[in-house]
Amino acid sequence: MTIEFCYLIFITIDYYAISNFITPKFLIKKKYSLFVIATVLIILLSAYLRALLALQMNSIFLHSVPVDFSTVYLNSIANISLWVLMITLGRMIIDSKQTEQKLALLEKERIKNELDYLKAQINPHALFNSLNTIYGHIDKDNQIARNTLLQFSELLRYQLYDCGAEKVNLDKEIDYIKNYIVFQRLRKEEKLTVLFEFENIEPGLKIAPLLLVILIENAFKFVSNFSDKENKILIKIFTKDNFLYSSFINTRELQYPSPTKDANGIGIANLKRRLALLYPDKYELLINIDTDLYETNLNINLS
């Protein structure tokens, strides 16, 4: 007779070793032969150690008739293999059910998002078609109004026709940002200084549309309106080794709310959610708020 309770120790160790180390290292990477070899080796080793421990404890505590080591070893192999297999299969069934539920929820969310996107297209499309009528009714001598409407039309055209894809060319997104800045600049006072610097934009890079413009929108929305000192927005965008680096800085007033607490519009919370979905573990969003400045830095691995 041997002590049986120490099975639990080795079964637990084997299960976690196979689940957390052997499976990710070999099975997921489709190295099936190495997976089988590693699994067999760890079970043989644990069975050997379990047999030694059982016989030692049997001798010390029970003082029973010695049992042949090979018998205990073979029994250990059989029992450990059986329980590890049963627990692993049970875990796989549970994980499979959870995965099915997650996929079902994702499919529902995808359908909802697609419907929301289609509904969102209706109003912009009607508005875009109406702009030509409005443009025709503006006096030809009022070039500022006509040019402003044309610029708005280009912004709308990009959002309506170019942003349907998951990713767009970074060059196109930069052009949109230029037009957006010019359009926003028209809505602000003359005393606002806006500097937009972009350089080393690597050709061929793609980015999810309308990410950066959220931060630019916040900069214009929360920029200071001092009468006795400079009001400034500084935007810098460049790329290096398939990484996008961007910085957005605006002067601020203490009585203004923080963009991170703004309840209107898309907002920082929405941006963080999109980044987490589109670029998991491939982005860095840093926000720094001091007395006079609000600064946001967004870096994304576009490879």
Side-chain angles (χ1 to χ4, degrees), residues 171-205:
D171 291 336
K172 279 191 173 184
E173 187 75 4
I174 295 293
D175 289 338
Y176 171 79
I177 288 173
K178 292 178 189 175
N179 290 330
Y180 184 85
I181 290 173
V182 172
F183 183 77
Q184 288 289 338
R185 185 68 182 82
L186 294 172
R187 301 173 57 240
K188 292 293 182 177
E189 299 291 337
E190 292 289 336
K191 54 190 175 182
L192 173 63
T193 300
V194 181
L195 300 176
F196 177 36
E197 302 176 7
F198 66 98
E199 57 185 8
N200 298 328
I201 304 300
E202 301 173 34
L205 290 180

